[in-house]
Each structure stands twice: as C-alpha cells, then as structure tokens.
Amino acid sequence: MIPQLQQNALVAGARIRGLGSAQPEQVVTNEDIAASGVETTDEWIRDRVGIVERRFARADESLVDMASDAGAKALADAGLAPSEIDAVIVATCTMPSQIPNAAAQVAERIGVSAAPAFDVNAACAGFCYGLGTAADMVRAGSAAHVLVIGAEKLTDWVDPNDRSTCIIFADGAGAAVVGAAAEDEPPGIGPVAAGSAGDLAETIVIPDRDSFIHQEGQTVFRWATTQMAPVAMDAVERAGVALADIDVLVPHQANLRIVEAIAKRLRKAGARSDMTVADDITRSGNTSSASIPLALDHMRAEGRVRSGDVALLVGFGAGLSYAGQVVVLP
Ligand code: UT7
C-alpha cells in the first residue's frame, strides 16, 4: 500500500514584514578612485554610470558581518525575535569561501538557532530569487517567517586598477523578513517572473578563485535595456495588477542609465509619471544582490516610499539571470 504522506497546511499569501540594511562606513568618491591612480574622472563616472560615491568594506569587515547586521535590523523592524525565524536565505555571489555558506553563519550570529540556512547564487538577481523562494516556503507552510538577505563584498573580487569594474562595484547588504499574510490581509508578494540567458554566460565572469570580475559592459547594457522592461511587465501581469498601480520601481542598481531606460519603457506602456524610481546607485554603487533591498530601505528612511506602496522589483546580472516581482511594502 502506498502510504499517504502528510502535507503542511497551505497559506494563502506572504508579505514582507520588515526591512533592514547595512553598509560599510568607508565612503569612496569618484575623486578618491581617480586619486588612487585609476585613469578615470568624476565626470565620466557620473555621466556613464550615475555613481557619485559608494561604500567599500575594510579588510576586517566581512560579508557575513554586513549580512548579519542587515538581517538583525530587518528582524527588529518586523518586531520579531530571532526564535520566530524558521529559515535564513542569503543571496550572494562573493563569499570568500566555497563552503561554509553565509546563511548558517548569519543565522548563528543573529541568534536564529538551528534554522534551515542556505545561499542562493543568482548574482544581481539573487535577492529577487531569494524573496520568491521565501514567499513560496511561507505559502507552502514550510516556514512561518523567512529572513532573506542580499549581501556582497564585491571589493574582494574586483581589480582596484581595472577602471571598467572598480568604479562600479561596491559592498553592502539589505534584508527583508517574509511572513504569512493575515486572514484579513491580501497577499503582498506576487509571483516571480524569472529566467536566464545562458548563451550570454561569458559576459560577466569570475572564472576561478584567483581571478577578478570581468564584464563585457556594452553587451550586458544592451541586454538589460532591451530585455528587462518586458520581465518587469511580466511580473506585473502575473501579480494581476496594472502598470499604473505601481508606486515604486526598484530595478537592480547596475547603472542609472539602465534604470532610467527601464522606467521610460514602463511609462510608455502605462506606468505613472509620478512613479518613484530608485536611484540608490548614486550613493551606494552597484552592490549586486544587495542593491534592491538597500535601495528599498534607503528610500523608506528618506520618506520616498511608504507602507502599503506597491513596488516592482527587477534583478538582473551574471548568469545571465533575472527575476522580478511585485510587492507591497511593509
Ligand atoms: O550588475 C550586473 C549587471 N551589469 C550591468 O548591467 C552593467 C551594464 N553595463 C554598463 O553599465 C556599462 O557598459 C559600463 C558602465 C560598464 C561601461 O559604460 P559604457 O558606456 O558601456 O562604456 P564602454 O565600456 O563602452 O567604454 C567607452 C569608453 C572607452 O574608451 P574608448 O575605447 O571609446 O576610447 C573606455 O575605454 O570609455 C572608456 N572607459 C572609461 N573612461 C573613463 C571605460 N571605463 C572608463 C572609466 N573612466 N572608468
């Protein structure tokens, strides 16, 4: 006889319950990079990428430190104790070690005892993949609360003398707590629109542990500016809302020109002219999987977004991989 295996009770919807972020103290301006001997200018970086300054971690400031800091803040923001977290997911592509992963160490640091803990490597799309996985875990009844963190120490993997990458990439972490929607609350995390373009795998690479990151900037730029608005629109459609319902657009902060190109295309397709568009890259640089939650947390601190706002997230990068979803802000 085939045994009937018991299943967890399903939950109708998941919501983001709290946000948090952490950045290193050290601010590095464009002038600082030029002064270090890299052949670049403040004007070129502002014009071509939109970055004014970014944060670099000290040698003794680790990815796990930043992730734990951001995670603890998200927990406090959600009003939850560590014991109420059932799983920890860290999206990252810059762990210095292949094993152990970051998530188990972060769980230990913030006092989440024996929680399921795993890393997701989808590079700059990682946070959206992690958020989608967390929402699915909550909806499937396998966790009541999941802590999702995007954390990167990209400076460990960037050649400080390569002007095509050292001006772009930076360090930081952002986090969200995902929990079940209450019975009288609508779901607050829409289905993920995700995919990959493995034919472009060679365009962003760290081929081995002794190499720095290499990026074919123009190819990725063209791909992102043409392919990511349709992914964002797919996420909107899957969530059953209209582009005009989107209050906040938060694309991965890779390049301000890419962010603006996506916003322009979405507005042409029906998004509102007063939709708030994340521009956190100006102060934080490109922090890969951390960029979306960092931008959300900063925009909230600045009063540019409010609780209940409908936000459209879209992450994209190495793989190439991409993922986006509509969320209601906590
Ligand atoms: O986060 C993961 C996903 N990544 C992305 O989405 C990145 C997408 N790509 C980009 O954002 C842009 O391609 C970059 C910011 C990486 C580069 O900007 P670009 O406008 O595509 O510049 P380019 O590589 O085509 O270079 C144009 C010129 C070149 O000089 P020549 O050959 O025209 O004389 C470069 O050597 O600019 C030069 N250049 C620089 N000049 C001053 C390249 N980097 C610099 C620099 N400062 N830092």
Side-chain angles (χ1 to χ4, degrees):
M1 194 181 98
I2 300 170
Q4 287 294 310
L5 300 185
Q6 190 174 299
Q7 300 294 297
N8 294 327
L10 300 180
V11 171
R15 294 178 72 95
I16 298 178
R17 293 298 183 199
L19 292 169
S21 67
Q23 282 178 299
E25 271 176 25
Q26 188 190 202
V27 176
V28 178
T29 64
N30 296 338
E31 285 91 352
D32 291 336
I33 294 182
S36 75
V38 174
E39 203 181 321
T40 190
T41 61
D42 176 50
E43 191 190 5
W44 192 95
I45 300 170
R46 284 183 195 235
D47 283 358
R48 307 302 296 169
V49 201
I51 298 174
V52 176
E53 62 186 33
R54 75 286 286 145
R55 304 287 183 108
F56 285 177
R58 295 185 315 265
D60 65 350
E61 217 168 353
S62 74
L63 188 156
V64 169
D65 292 339
M66 292 185 283
S68 304
D69 193 2
K73 286 177 182 163
L75 227 67
D77 189 48
L80 292 172
S83 58
E84 292 173 279
I85 296 294
D86 300 311
V88 177
I89 302 174
V90 175
T92 187
C93 60
T94 53
M95 265 300 274
S97 59
Q98 186 64 28
I99 48 173
N101 65 14
Q105 296 174 74
V106 170
E108 170 67 18
R109 287 271 191 99
I110 61 183
V112 179
S113 172
F118 57 95
D119 291 3
V120 171
N121 181 351
C124 309
F127 180 78
C128 293
Y129 275 95
L131 188 63
T133 304
D136 287 350
M137 287 171 76
V138 167
R139 291 182 55 240
S142 46
H145 293 107
V146 181
L147 176 59
V148 188
I149 304 167
E152 306 287 1
K153 190 175 177 185
L154 277 144
T155 50
D156 275 349
W157 298 93
V158 168
D159 177 351
N161 299 309
D162 176 359
R163 70 177 183 174
S164 68
T165 52
C166 76
I167 57 134
I168 301 169
F169 294 113
D171 305 328
V177 174
V178 175
E183 267 178 28
D184 56 350
E185 267 182 324
I189 302 177
V192 183
S196 59
D199 55 320
L200 295 174
E202 298 302 320
T203 57
I204 313 175
V205 292
I206 304 175
D208 55 58
R209 72 183 76 177
D210 300 318
S211 299
F212 291 123
I213 191 166
H214 173 77
Q215 173 172 254
E216 290 175 26
Q218 283 199 8
T219 308
V220 181
F221 185 91
R222 270 195 303 277
W223 173 78
T225 49
T226 56
Q227 306 300 311
M228 290 307 104
V231 173
M233 287 187 233
D234 185 16
V236 169
E237 201 177 316
R238 285 169 193 257
V241 295
L243 270 171
D245 296 323
I246 303 301
D247 301 307
V248 191
L249 172 66
V250 192
H252 163 50
Q253 303 288 290
N255 184 322
L256 195 58
R257 290 189 294 141
I258 297 175
V259 169
E260 286 167 353
I262 294 172
K264 190 174 170 190
R265 197 139 163 219
L266 295 183
R267 286 190 171 120
K268 265 194 182 154
R272 300 196 313 266
S273 57
D274 69 348
M275 174 177 70
T276 302
V277 180
D279 57 1
D280 195 53
I281 186 166
T282 57
R283 300 282 161 201
S284 300
N286 178 341
T287 56
S288 189
S289 69
S291 86
I292 289 175
L294 258 181
L296 277 174
D297 199 39
H298 287 170
M299 290 164 90
R300 187 178 63 157
E302 292 157 4
R304 292 175 64 198
V305 302
R306 284 190 302 263
S307 173
D309 277 357
V310 179
L312 172 55
L313 318 180
V314 56
F316 53 87
L320 300 179
S321 295
Y322 53 89
Q325 64 263 90
V326 176
V327 302
V328 177
L329 298 184

